[in-house]
Each structure stands twice: as structure tokens, then as C-alpha cells.
Amino acid sequence: MNDGPAAGGGRAVVRTWSAVAALLAALALGVATGRFVLPAPPRADAHPRAGSVPTPGPPAPASGSASPTGTASAAGTASTGTAVGATGPLTTANLLGPAAFGPYLDTGRIRVTDRYGDGAYANAACSGEKTLAQTLGGPGAHFRGLVTGTRTTPDDPTQAADNADQVAREVAAEASSPSRAQNLAERLLLEEASCQEAAPGHWVYGRTMTVRLGPAVSASWMGTYRGDLNTTGTAPEGKEPCGGIAVLRSGTHYAVLEVDACLGTAAMDRVVRTALSQL
């Protein structure tokens, strides 16, 4: 039987004495300088042990606010301000006017048509076309049409007889409290968000964009994309929309705004902000 040290034992002793010597040298230096710096451990350039690699933190959140569908808002779109939400009765003065389209359209050709009551409110076949009362059970709302033609549908003067003449249409109402208005707006947005997916070749809404002007003043909107741009069942990335739809809330007021004019992202954002600040 061999009573000598195990293979490699001598090297282990040498390494141990080397480490002790280094530690003593560090302590002596610390006494002289007032700073104690321990020497680096042996083989500092070796790979870390399995499981010792730092775990990356969670990815940075997307700029903007998440929509009720979980889709993040586009970068730079969301902003938080100090605007105070509406508290008084909603009137036609709270509805969007032709001037909001000034930089993009000939506002002299836009006519305003108003009515009060119930009816279809800019919802699409993919979400199930219903009246506002069928969806929310409300007593009535203000309907406004922005049209360029002179002919409107017989049963609703806010809708152009020719779709090409419809610039926009807004339906707005007031709730009993700000929290109730928020709840109604969220329900309306969830309904429209079902149109963010459609069979390839069918028009589709894009991702949800969020605008906040204050704690109780916010809007969410989605751009509209033609069917020939929908090749995967969802809106294409990097393409401009052609109009869109927005759900707005300001205090006790809430509204749905459908923009039929073919506006891109920047123009839609501007129009939605204007409608929100006026609501």
C-alpha cells in the first residue's frame, strides 16, 4: 500500500501556500496604504460554473401603454399629461369638426350632419354589427357625420350614401361617472379589437395605439389596412394605414370615432388627439 500523498497533492500544497502568501502581501499593503484589496481568485479567466452565468433581466417594456388586447402601443405615441376630464353634459360642441382635417383635406368641402338617438356606431362585420344600445344598453348618443357629398342614407343623415364621401363619423355619449365611462370605453375597444385578425385578403385593423392627455383623458386607436396588405391574417409591419377607428374617453364622456379618409399614422394621431382634447 502506498502511504505517500495522492497524485497532484504536492501541487495543491504549493497552490495553497501561494494563496496564503498573496493574502499576507495584500494585508501588509493594506496596513501601509489604508486600503485592503484582496487578490483575484486563481484562474479568474476560467469559464464560470454551470448555473453561475448572470440571468438576463426582463426585456425593456415597449414605449407606450398596453392595450386591453395586450398589444403594445407604438413608440412615441403614448404620452401622459395633466388634462382634466370632462364633467358637464355632452353636447355637439364636444364633437370633432372639419378643421381637424385641415392639413390633409379640403375642409371647405366637408359638411357636418348631426342627430341624437341610437343606431349603428362604426362597428364592422367582424365584430358583429349592432346598435349602441345593443352593445351598451345606453339611452342614446350624439351622432355626427363629416361628409363631402350631399346625399346621405335615408335612415341616418350622418352616413354618406356613397362610401367615398364619408370623411369620418363620431358617436359620443356621457356616463354617470368617470369610472363608468372608462368601463364603457374599454368594452367598445375590446369589441373593435376583434378586427385585428382576419383571413388573409380581408381588411384588418392594426396594432392598438394609445394617447393619454391626463389621468382620465385617453384614447386608443387602430389603423385600417386594405385586404391586399393582409397576407398573414394580421396587419403588416412597416406599412401605413388608411384611416382607422378610435375609442376615446374624457371624464364622463366617451366616444367612438371612425375615420374613413385615407390618413396615415401621423395624421391619424393628430386627428385623434384633436378629438380627445375636444371631447
Side-chain angles (χ1 to χ4, degrees), residues 41-145:
R43 298 183 58 80
D45 61 338
H47 293 292
R49 298 188 308 274
S52 64
V53 179
T55 303
S63 175
S65 301
S67 72
T69 61
T71 306
S73 304
T77 298
S79 61
T80 301
T82 58
V84 178
T87 56
L90 187 142
T91 69
T92 54
N94 299 113
L95 303 180
L96 192 67
F101 297 89
Y104 318 108
L105 303 174
D106 180 3
T107 57
R109 298 182 58 237
I110 301 177
R111 291 195 310 120
V112 175
T113 59
D114 290 318
R115 73 175 180 87
Y116 182 86
D118 190 23
Y121 63 94
N123 53 354
C126 62
S127 62
E129 293 180 340
K130 298 181 289 293
T131 66
L132 198 64
Q134 287 173 330
T135 302
L136 303 180
H142 287 273
F143 286 70
R144 166 163 291 185

Side-chain angles (χ1 to χ4, degrees), residues 3-81:
D3 293 328
R11 290 192 297 272
V13 171
V14 172
R15 284 198 300 268
T16 300
W17 278 109
S18 298
V20 171
L23 180 58
L24 292 175
L27 291 174
L29 180 62
V31 171
T33 64
R35 294 184 60 190
F36 294 88
V37 181
L38 293 179
R43 298 183 58 80
D45 61 338
H47 293 292
R49 298 188 308 274
S52 64
V53 179
T55 303
S63 175
S65 301
S67 72
T69 61
T71 306
S73 304
T77 298
S79 61
T80 301

